[in-house]
Amino acid sequence: MKGRDDMNWPEHGGQPAKVGRQFISNETNSSHWLDFSANIHPFGPPEWIKTIVADSMTAISVYPDPAYEEPTKRLAELNDVSPEQVLVTNGGAEAIFLTAKLFAGKRAVIVQPTFGEYEQACLHYRVETRDVFYDGGFRFPLEELESQMAWADVIYVCRPNNPSGTVTPEQGIRALLERCEETETFLVVDEAFADFLSEPDSFLTRMLSQFNSLILLRSLTKMYSIPGLRIGYLLTSSTIIAKLRRWQMPWSVNGIAGEVVRALPNHDPYVIEARTFVSEELARIRERLTELRFYMSPSQVNFYLLYDLEAPNKTEELFAFLAKNRIIGRHTHNFKGLNGYFIRFAVKTDEDNDKLLACLAAWRNHV
């Protein structure tokens, strides 16, 4: 098998053909790959979004409202905050980069392993970074973070964490916020996957009125399976939102995306069904992986980390074995602290999950 330095590892998931062709060189049809590398809703967009997209084609011939007043108002209603505390963005990536601009030339601590765009955005704006790591059980490193507070201007936390799917307990975040207030350090919490929690909490949204140092990043991409529409948003104090709004590129959010946001329902059966499905599949997958002697991270959302407990040093061989069976996971070479020793898998349909489990069982007989 090719080693790490010989592989053309992509920076993101969702590129199965690019990865798979390195193992089956004559395969060009991307539909032939079973892609577990992208963490989006396994059943595709809901019908109400498909209808809005189809009915909103006239939106492409006019400029969107540059202030996005209606989408902003809708997100404010759903989160029980004022519109002045909301900024609609072109996906979570724009929200991350706008936040990093707040701290241009300053210092940031990033809780690792995590989404690489935090560091990328910090580098773009000349923000000096330090890394603090979860321990082997993905427990929140509160004490080590507190030791960095005097140095840091901002801390980045992904909750639920990408790539492990684990969730920092409320008391850990609250303790960190209280310390942030003392040291005048900001806390950025990325909640891109929070919609998948079986019992979603809103305590961070409620904390916005208590802690001016808190900035929340959200995404509609993952739950609604619409990465091509690029819809995200920020929640924080009105003072910070006003500053970010001045920096945001004009018309960064397209008109069709705006129409989708305007139509977001108060209680969406699609979301409720997804939460139930993911919770039940996680439990079923965990039971089978335990039987097969694989480690599975204590995920609470729609993806998890895995390695072979009986062959922990053969992760790349396992990745290749799966790829040759047209199953593509997400490598972890560019997640700090993981260094390729894990593979991340999305929770897909029960049929697709069964195919993965069957292939892992075949691997067990192979090694």
Side-chain angles (χ1 to χ4, degrees), residues 77-99:
E77 292 170 347
L78 290 170
N79 290 280
D80 196 24
V81 298
S82 72
E84 289 73 27
Q85 291 179 273
V86 179
L87 183 66
V88 187
T89 61
N90 186 289
E94 186 185 30
I96 292 169
F97 273 75
L98 284 171
T99 302

Side-chain angles (χ1 to χ4, degrees), residues 20-282:
R21 280 196 297 269
Q22 299 181 77
F23 300 96
I24 305 176
S25 59
N26 62 346
E27 179 60 82
T28 59
N29 191 331
S30 61
S31 65
H32 290 177
W33 304 99
L34 191 52
D35 184 17
F36 282 84
S37 68
N39 301 332
I40 60 175
H41 194 295
F43 299 120
E47 290 303 317
W48 68 264
I49 287 184
K50 294 178 182 179
T51 299
I52 286 174
V53 171
D55 293 345
S56 299
M57 295 309 293
T58 55
I60 67 175
S61 63
V62 296
Y63 284 102
D65 169 14
Y68 303 105
E69 289 186 8
E70 290 301 317
T72 299
K73 180 180 178 182
R74 185 64 188 132
L75 289 170
E77 292 170 347
L78 290 170
N79 290 280
D80 196 24
V81 298
S82 72
E84 289 73 27
Q85 291 179 273
V86 179
L87 183 66
V88 187
T89 61
N90 186 289
E94 186 185 30
I96 292 169
F97 273 75
L98 284 171
T99 302
K101 183 173 173 58
L102 280 170
F103 306 100
K106 296 184 178 181
R107 297 175 291 196
V109 168
I110 302 175
V111 183
Q112 300 279 5
T114 196
F115 196 48
E117 267 69 2
Y118 310 140
E119 183 174 15
Q120 182 183 353
C122 286
L123 290 172
H124 183 80
Y125 288 108
R126 298 171 283 90
V127 181
E128 183 182 354
T129 61
R130 288 182 182 176
D131 297 320
V132 169
F133 290 85
Y134 292 96
D135 68 10
F138 293 99
R139 285 178 287 270
F140 192 59
L142 179 59
E143 290 185 5
E144 189 172 355
L145 283 171
E146 288 179 331
S147 72
Q148 298 289 334
M149 300 292 274
W151 178 84
D153 296 291
V154 60
I155 296 173
Y156 284 88
V157 175
C158 189
R159 181 187 186 272
N161 173 257
N162 179 14
S164 68
T166 54
V167 181
T168 301
E170 177 179 344
Q171 58 266 32
I173 296 292
R174 184 180 293 275
L176 186 61
L177 273 169
E178 291 172 350
R179 183 70 174 128
C180 283
E181 290 289 295
E182 296 173 7
T183 60
E184 297 183 349
T185 304
F186 283 83
L187 176 63
V188 176
V189 182
D190 187 344
E191 296 189 289
F193 295 98
D195 287 338
F196 284 97
L197 292 172
S198 59
E199 296 182 4
D201 54 56
S202 58
F203 83 93
L204 279 169
T205 307
R206 296 194 302 272
M207 284 186 177
L208 289 170
S209 61
Q210 183 179 353
F211 297 99
N212 291 324
S213 57
L214 179 61
I215 302 172
L216 303 180
L217 312 183
R218 302 273 177 80
S219 171
L220 302 184
T221 294
K222 292 14 179 224
M223 172 55 76
Y224 286 109
S225 190
I226 48 173
L229 277 182
R230 312 303 308 138
I231 310 175
Y233 63 100
L234 268 146
L235 299 177
T236 187
S237 71
S238 58
T239 302
I240 295 176
I241 290 295
K243 185 179 293 187
L244 296 178
R245 201 182 301 279
R246 291 195 298 271
W247 293 339
Q248 187 176 28
M249 185 178 73
W251 294 296
S252 69
V253 180
N254 69 77
I256 297 177
E259 291 300 308
V260 170
V261 175
R262 286 181 58 188
L264 285 169
N266 290 326
H267 302 286
D268 192 345
Y270 170 93
V271 172
I272 296 170
E273 180 182 355
R275 289 169 179 163
T276 301
F277 174 80
V278 166
S279 178
E280 292 176 350
E281 280 297 280
L282 280 175

